[in-house]
Amino acid sequence: MQEPLLLNFDEQVYSVETIQKACYRSTNAFVTDITVNAGKIACIINPVIGATDAGFAHAIQEFKKDVLDQQLRQKIKSETEDVRNLILGLAFSNTSLLNGE
């Protein structure tokens, strides 16, 4: 049986929400306990029952990629929020939904 793995993420680089999303996407491979202390997001990762060492190692690699992916998605979302809201506002201003028709 694989031992629990501890991964630490810098809170200045990654958000807790980012880590949570990546953990959720990996629940088929492992279970994660998340704590925040002194600017570090600590993840204690335990493989699911029946996981092989190779499968667990692969899941950890995919998790690390997913954490980065989720963080970049969050960054792009916040950087483009004003433009997205403007486009939505324009789209709905040209419909009868706002005019009550």
Side-chain angles (χ1 to χ4, degrees):
M1 173 105 181
Q2 181 77 315
E3 292 293 318
L5 176 67
L6 173 63
L7 293 178
N8 286 302
F9 297 92
D10 190 327
E11 200 174 20
Q12 291 182 347
V13 179
Y14 299 99
S15 72
V16 173
E17 181 181 353
T18 292
I19 305 297
Q20 290 171 328
K21 285 180 180 180
C23 288
Y24 178 74
R25 291 172 47 99
S26 299
T27 55
N28 62 327
F30 53 78
V31 179
T32 309
D33 294 315
I34 303 169
T35 58
V36 180
N37 190 9
K40 297 288 182 196
I41 303 168
C43 298
I44 300 173
I45 301 173
N46 289 286
V48 295
I49 295 171
T52 64
D53 288 348
F56 184 59
H58 178 72
I60 295 299
Q61 286 180 347
E62 293 301 310
F63 171 69
K64 290 177 181 180
K65 290 185 227 177
D66 200 31
V67 168
L68 179 59
D69 179 64
Q70 293 295 332
Q71 184 63 37
L72 292 174
R73 286 174 185 268
Q74 185 176 3
K75 181 175 173 45
I76 290 168
K77 180 181 176 185
S78 68
E79 288 177 352
T80 60
E81 185 173 17
D82 292 339
V83 173
R84 195 172 54 253
N85 288 338
L86 176 64
I87 291 169
L88 287 171
L90 288 171
F92 285 112
S93 71
N94 294 324
T95 67
S96 60
L97 292 175
L98 295 178
N99 296 331
E101 296 174 10

